[in-house]
Amino acid sequence: MKAKILLLDKNHPLIDQQLLAQGFVLDEDFSSSYDEVLKKINDYDGIIIRSRIPIDANFLNQAKNLKFIARVGAGMENIDCETAKALNIELINSPEGNRDSVAEHVLGMLLILMNRLFIASNEVKNGIWLREENRGDELLGKTFGIIGYGNMGKAVAKRLSGFGVEVIFYDILPNLSDEFATQVSLEELQKRADILSLHIPLTNLTHYMIDENFINKMEKDFYLVNTARGKNLKTSSLVEALKSKKVKAAALDVLEYEKSSFEKLDVENDDLKYLLNSDNVIVTPHIAGWTHQSKEKLAQFIVDKILKLYNI
């Protein structure tokens, strides 16, 4: 009998269909609490998750038979990866599955923002016809700066190849330049970028990476796009930069105040109210990687990697 797997979040049905066809035993549990799952975790060789249950050191140390954790998505911050690796638990994710949808979302938000499309459309629908006030700003000729050149960053750079922009990026790994973008130091990116787009995981190094100090080092007034993680960006610093016009406008698919499960916002405060009421800010509910196509692709990559793990 092949591995017994516990599915803790709803995903595309192809996961069940394809793994069952290969002889895996699957149990679904989309409602039990952390403690309830912990009581039965020793029955399973693997778990497939999204973000509902945190997989911390306590969980992992009690999961004596766990061979792998598969997260249907890119970020792994809800898993204690160091403990998992120390316990020889294989970690699987699927950033390849939603990189295209993230890239399209970045461009969609940015074009709407720079050309004031949402604002102008609402004005016309309310009988207001303003042309000069809604004059747009072209991408052509600008320098587009990316932080993090993994699956998402590369997909964004590829989409930009027809827009007449120069794409530069910063990454902690060396020698990543390709036909779509040139790797530079963080200092050079801060000197040259007209637009800044974040594509980094949430780690100790990237928590509040974009704060007042970082923003002040940006030489130009710039547009900011965040489709990575809310806590990569310090909201209070962004608000101050928007007020001073150092940040011209911001497109945010993620917010610092999201619950860890990404289900909803966790707080209300003046900084959040400012963002939600600003004409210079677009906010979407963590949906950049959330297309009909990405749902299927995310699941397929997870299945393929589990089958590869078992040499199938």
Side-chain angles (χ1 to χ4, degrees), residues 232-251:
N232 294 142
L233 169 64
K234 191 170 184 179
T235 308
S236 59
S237 300
L238 171 61
V239 168
E240 289 305 312
L242 285 164
K243 290 178 178 178
S244 71
K245 303 190 185 311
K246 180 65 181 178
V247 172
K248 294 181 177 181

Side-chain angles (χ1 to χ4, degrees), residues 105-114 195-198 222-228 233 238 242 247-255 275 280-284:
H105 196 92
V106 167
L107 284 186
M109 285 201 300
L110 193 57
L111 291 170
I112 288 170
L113 195 66
M114 294 176 68
I195 300 156
L196 181 66
S197 188
L198 307 183
F222 66 101
Y223 295 95
L224 175 63
V225 184
N226 189 12
T227 56
L233 169 64
L238 171 61
L242 285 164
V247 172
K248 294 181 177 181
L252 308 173
D253 181 57
V254 291
L255 291 168
L275 295 180
N280 291 328
V281 180
I282 291 177
V283 183
T284 53

Side-chain angles (χ1 to χ4, degrees), residues 257-272:
Y257 311 116
E258 289 177 74
K259 289 178 67 68
S260 59
S261 61
F262 310 139
E263 292 172 341
K264 59 182 180 179
L265 296 177
D266 215 11
V267 301
E268 289 185 21
N269 59 39
D270 289 341
D271 288 331
L272 178 59

Side-chain angles (χ1 to χ4, degrees), residues 274-309:
Y274 182 89
L275 295 180
L276 298 181
N277 289 286
S278 173
D279 284 345
N280 291 328
V281 180
I282 291 177
V283 183
T284 53
H286 205 130
I287 56 169
W290 208 252
T291 61
H292 296 292
Q293 292 80 8
S294 71
K295 183 177 182 180
E296 180 173 350
K297 288 188 283 186
L298 284 165
Q300 189 62 64
F301 276 107
I302 286 295
V303 170
D304 292 345
K305 290 178 182 182
I306 291 173
L307 296 181
K308 184 178 180 180
L309 184 64

